[in-house]
Every structure is written in C-alpha cells, then in structure tokens.
Amino acid sequence: MNHKRPDILLIQVDQLHSRALKAYGGISDTPNIDSLFARGVAFESVTVQCPLCQPSRASLWSGIYPHRTEVLSNGRKWPCPVFTERLPTLGEVFTQGGYKTIHFGKRHDSGALRGFELVEEDETFVPDENPAWPYNFDTYNDQYATDRAVEFFSSNADDKPLLAVVDLINPHNICGWVGKNKGEHHDVPVDTLPPLPPNFTFGDISNRSRSIQYICCAHIRQAQASLWNGENFRHYLAAYNHYLHLVDRQIGRVLDTLKQRGKLDDTIIVFFSDHGDALAARASVTKHTAMYQELVEIPLVFCGGGIQGRKKMVGGLVQSLDLAPTLCEIAGLPIPASFDGMSLIPSLEEGHAPKREYAVSQWHTEWGYTVEPCRMIRTQKWKYLHYLEDDFEELFDLESDPYEMTNVAQDSENAEVLVYHKGLFKRYLKETGDPYLSLVAKADKRWREHEVGYDKHSGITAPEA
Ligand code: ZN
C-alpha cells in the first residue's frame, strides 16, 4: 500500500524573494528552478511567518506560528527554546506514517526538524570563479549538502516512500559579500549590471516606524551599505544574481540525478525559500525588521508526481505555514490539529485562490540587541503594519503602490480601510492567542540618535556593542 504514496522532494533556498525569479518577472539565470515552474503549479503571493531564518524555519517544520514555536530570533542575546516535545513536527508525522524522511543541508530550526534523519552539515571548498563574487561557508555548505544528496539519490533503494529535504543556503552568500564590500569602495568590474528597482529611492522614510528608520543602527549589513552609491547597489544585485545562479546549478545536479534514476517525473518536487531579500529596494540590503514584500514574499511551486492544475500561477494569499498540511494531504496522512495552516490541494487542483482573508507575518528581534516587535496583516489589496515601539502604524495600497513607496495610514481617505484592518489585527491576535500586545520593545537611545536616513548612519551598530 505504501508504494502508492508519492516520493516528495522539498528544495528550500535561503533569502530568495519571488520577484528575483523569471517566473515572477525577474531576470535570474536559473534554468533549473525555471524548469520546475514550467512543469508545475506556482503560487503568486506566499507570505513567510517571519522574514528571518530560524523563526521562519521553525514555523515551517512545525506547522505553527512563531509566537507558538517561541522561536523568535536567530539566537545570541535572545536565545530560543528547543522546539517543544508536546507538539508534533512534519518529520514526525511522515515518519509515523511510514515514510523514510531525510534532510540534507542547512537546519537552523531550533529542533523543529525532529523526525527527519539529519545528514551532518559540513563544508566542501569551492574556488572563486570571479574575484567580484567571493565564496564563503554558505557556498561551501551547499556543495557539501548537494554532494551528499546526489550520493543518496543515486543509490537509495529503500522500499518506503520518501520525504527528502535539500536545504540550500545560497543566494545567502550575498550577506558575506556585503561585509567584503562595506563602506565606500570601488567594485570589481563585472560584465553586466542589473538596473536598480523602481523603489531604490526612499523619500518616505520620515513617515515610517523608528525601527525602519534605524535599521542601519540595528543591522550590521545595512550599516555596512550605508555609504554605498547607486552603482554599488547595482553590483550588489549582480552578486545576488550570481549566488542565485550558483544554487540553481546545485539544484540542477539533484534534478539530473533523479532523471538518471528515472524518478524525476514521479517525484513531487516543492521549491520555496525561508524569506526574501531587500534587493536594493529603499537602498537596503539583506533582511531585517521590515515587512516589505521583498522580505516576506517567497516563491512556491509544486511539480511532478502528476500535479497538473488548471492554472500555472494561482492567486490569493498563501502562508508558508500551509506547506505542512498540504504535504500531509498529498501523502494521505492525517493533518495534526495543532497545525495553523490550510491545505493548498484544492487551489493546486482547481486554480482558485485559497479561502483566506489575510496573511500574517511577525517580527521580534534578530539577535536580541534591539527588540522591535511588529505584526503584518495583509489582505489582497492592503497591507497593515503595527509596531509596538511608539504604537506606530503603516498602511500600504499594494495594488496602486506595489513597491510600498508611501505609507498612507494617516490619510483621512483611508480611515475606513485602517479601521477594518485594525479589526482584522485584533481578531488575529485573539484567535491565535498571539501575546503581541504584552511584549516589550527595546532599543537603546544610542540606536535612535542620528539624523534619519541610512546614508546618515554613523558609529557602530547594535550587534557591535
Ligand atoms: Zn544608523
């Protein structure tokens, strides 16, 4: 009976916003990722539950919101608990359901990958191909993880159905690239430079929360980019696209192995990311605090195993939390009552939007040096944000202002919209038991001092204190 259950391969990458990919209008050189979109059914708007690695991943693998996992940061001065034994994980559901589960590559899960056989994490050196784009442990980890995954897929003869995760880190090597190019500098010349995004210039910063105004004081990468000019940001985008191309090559090796074994068509492959990247929007790099589309919206595609939807790109609001129940339904396994998401199977098959009124994302802190709790409530047209610091609100019209250039929360013509979204926000807090309003924001005066603007940044950032 087990033999009828499909093999499933999850491919996760780190720090990929959907707009970077061709399937979502981008200019990436990613033929292997593109092939998944060509064969499959994708979702247009997928929100991660926190735009930061560890909270996002813990939420994904446990199927519950970050405030329930209690994994709210990447660690250091805000340590995270090991994911509770009292709640099931995706890995456990599949293991108990008769699947072989195996995970290669990056974890950063605070224990939520429990139930998976975890292949050790290590590095294999990869020489730089171009001095403009130096490699670090992110790229070395991906080489090691892909080598192990290729070995496994080349020889796996297990009778059980398979749930495998190939968890790759690139294009995250871009974070190290920022460090190598910090401050005023001359870039190593490259052949072509991508254009800056329409929202590169950020004229509305005085109308944003203080945590947004002072990302440069809380986040080392934004501080390192504070003196960059437009040309430097174009080099950032070129480097980003290169690291994205690198991870695409690794994905190609895995897909080729499945093809050689005659398993490519029968395996259900799901591709996604843990969060996005600023992509030079608002003269910003990597990710921190902000809930902009570049940071909270990720690609998501399902292909193979006979998945054939009525539409290639499905609209509506999806959350990364939806992945866990969807996978359970694909495998014919019971969906645990604790899971917060909804199965996407009806939308995959019929092409209609999931029945969801709003999507949520949460922020607490990256390393505990500044603590800036924030919640995002996004409906199809609008995005409402609440920051605990100063009880500050932002509202964006995503239809007329998809690049979030203007915060219209104070505009009297939007008063009704604001009231409606505040109502959704309160309902969300109540229904999910999110203790947001009892949390405490913490930002030392030193991190709120200089004139507003990332280019005005001076001195050290919080993590250097
Ligand atoms: Zn600053």
Side-chain angles (χ1 to χ4, degrees):
M1 190 176 92
N2 271 348
H3 292 284
K4 288 182 183 165
R5 291 185 169 177
D7 287 349
I8 302 171
L9 167 61
L10 309 181
I11 303 174
Q12 179 166 234
V13 298
D14 195 318
Q15 201 151 314
L16 176 59
H17 173 45
S18 45
R19 275 183 207 146
L21 292 177
K22 280 211 180 83
Y24 295 89
I27 54 166
S28 60
D29 178 13
T30 50
N32 296 295
I33 295 170
D34 296 349
S35 76
L36 303 177
F37 285 88
R39 291 169 58 210
V41 177
F43 289 91
E44 197 170 78
S45 178
V46 183
T47 298
V48 290
Q49 272 51 76
C50 177
L52 186 67
C53 295
Q54 187 163 254
S56 176
R57 289 159 183 266
S59 168
L60 179 86
W61 301 125
S62 64
I64 61 177
Y65 282 110
H67 73 268
R68 294 185 63 210
T69 65
E70 299 180 13
V71 178
L72 303 180
S73 80
N74 271 350
R76 289 193 202 164
K77 284 170 80 82
W78 194 282
C80 295
V82 173
F83 183 69
T84 178
E85 297 276 345
R86 287 179 286 109
L87 293 172
T89 64
L90 184 70
E92 287 173 333
V93 172
F94 271 73
T95 306
Q96 286 158 16
Y99 265 74
K100 175 178 177 63
T101 59
I102 189 162
H103 177 278
F104 303 90
K106 174 164 179 164
R107 296 175 197 166
H108 214 182
D109 61 317
S110 220
L113 277 167
R114 200 175 62 223
F116 280 93
E117 177 188 333
L118 300 172
V119 175
E120 77 285 357
E121 288 182 273
D122 209 336
E123 300 176 0
T124 299
F125 176 74
V126 181
D128 294 350
E129 292 165 64
N130 184 323
W133 304 315
Y135 298 158
N136 67 9
F137 46 85
D138 291 339
T139 297
Y140 307 155
N141 264 280
D142 281 356
Q143 183 68 31
Y144 184 87
T146 309
D147 287 349
R148 299 291 81 75
V150 164
E151 279 169 14
F152 171 79
F153 288 116
S154 300
S155 58
N156 177 37
D158 203 310
D159 269 352
K160 288 182 179 173
L162 177 69
L163 174 65
V165 186
V166 176
D167 221 332
L168 300 172
I169 307 182
N170 267 320
H172 191 282
N173 201 149
I174 194 65
C175 294
W177 187 92
V178 175
K180 294 251 181 196
N181 291 279
K182 64 186 174 189
E184 287 180 286
H185 68 279
H186 291 289
D187 294 289
V188 179
V190 297
D191 289 343
T192 49
L193 288 179
L196 291 170
N199 54 355
F200 174 66
T201 304
F202 185 24
D204 195 41
I205 194 166
S206 60
N207 192 23
R208 303 291 163 105
S209 78
R210 286 203 288 172
S211 57
I212 295 294
Q213 292 174 342
Y214 289 101
I215 288 177
C216 50
C217 289
H219 183 43
I220 185 75
R221 298 308 181 195
Q222 190 60 41
Q224 289 171 336
S226 63
L227 296 176
W228 286 5
N229 58 34
E231 184 87 352
N232 298 143
F233 278 98
R234 292 181 70 193
H235 279 268
Y236 175 86
L237 293 173
Y240 183 88
N241 284 340
H242 176 73
Y243 297 123
L244 177 54
H245 172 69
L246 272 192
V247 82
D248 183 76
R249 272 197 239 156
Q250 301 290 26
I251 291 167
R253 295 175 59 210
V254 174
L255 300 182
D256 286 348
T257 308
L258 289 177
K259 194 172 183 183
Q260 284 157 18
R261 297 271 294 175
K263 299 243 178 177
L264 185 61
D265 291 341
D266 293 339
T267 302
I268 292 180
I269 301 175
V270 189
F271 171 81
F272 54 95
S273 177
D274 61 346
H275 55 75
D277 183 276
L279 297 177
R282 304 163 210 87
S284 188
V285 296
T286 73
K287 76 286 180 187
H288 195 271
T289 304
M291 296 286 188
Y292 295 120
Q293 291 302 92
E294 290 88 356
L295 304 176
V296 300
E297 204 168 65
I298 56 159
L300 174 63
V301 64
F302 293 73
C303 73
I307 285 181
Q308 276 179 332
R310 290 180 184 223
K311 281 191 184 169
K312 299 293 285 179
M313 185 66 83
V314 179
L317 301 171
V318 172
Q319 303 198 121
S320 51
L321 275 176
D322 298 336
L323 193 59
T326 304
L327 294 171
C328 291
E329 192 171 347
I330 284 174
L333 299 172
I335 298 172
S338 60
F339 282 11
D340 285 322
M342 61 168 73
S343 170
L344 298 172
I345 295 294
S347 301
L348 264 175
E349 290 173 350
E350 301 300 326
H352 57 65
K355 291 187 171 58
R356 168 172 286 123
E357 199 173 359
Y358 58 88
V360 176
S361 198
Q362 309 182 354
W363 181 269
H364 196 69
T365 181
E366 184 176 21
W367 302 110
Y369 297 92
T370 57
V371 182
E372 300 150 318
C374 171
R375 292 293 181 267
M376 171 190 119
I377 302 290
R378 189 243 153 120
T379 53
Q380 191 68 43
K381 177 174 164 59
W382 297 93
K383 179 192 276 192
Y384 169 80
L385 297 167
H386 186 273
Y387 300 85
L388 219 46
E389 184 178 10
D390 304 326
D391 189 20
F392 195 84
E393 293 174 313
E394 295 176 7
L395 184 70
F396 298 98
D397 181 341
L398 294 177
E399 277 177 18
S400 69
D401 181 22
Y403 288 94
E404 297 162 277
M405 306 286 258
T406 312
N407 168 20
V408 295
Q410 303 306 319
D411 292 6
S412 54
E413 65 194 74
N414 298 315
E416 275 182 36
V417 174
L418 192 66
V419 167
Y420 175 73
H421 284 77
K422 284 168 90 145
L424 287 183
F425 172 51
K426 283 181 187 152
R427 204 174 91 200
Y428 149 77
L429 292 175
K430 192 171 174 206
E431 286 178 359
T432 66
D434 184 344
Y436 172 72
L437 294 175
S438 64
L439 303 176
V440 178
K442 186 195 86 182
D444 191 289
K445 271 198 309 201
R446 284 177 295 167
W447 317 126
R448 296 287 184 265
E449 246 170 21
H450 64 73
E451 194 186 334
V452 169
Y454 305 143
D455 57 342
K456 309 286 193 319
H457 178 74
S458 61
I460 58 171
T461 59
E464 296 171 308

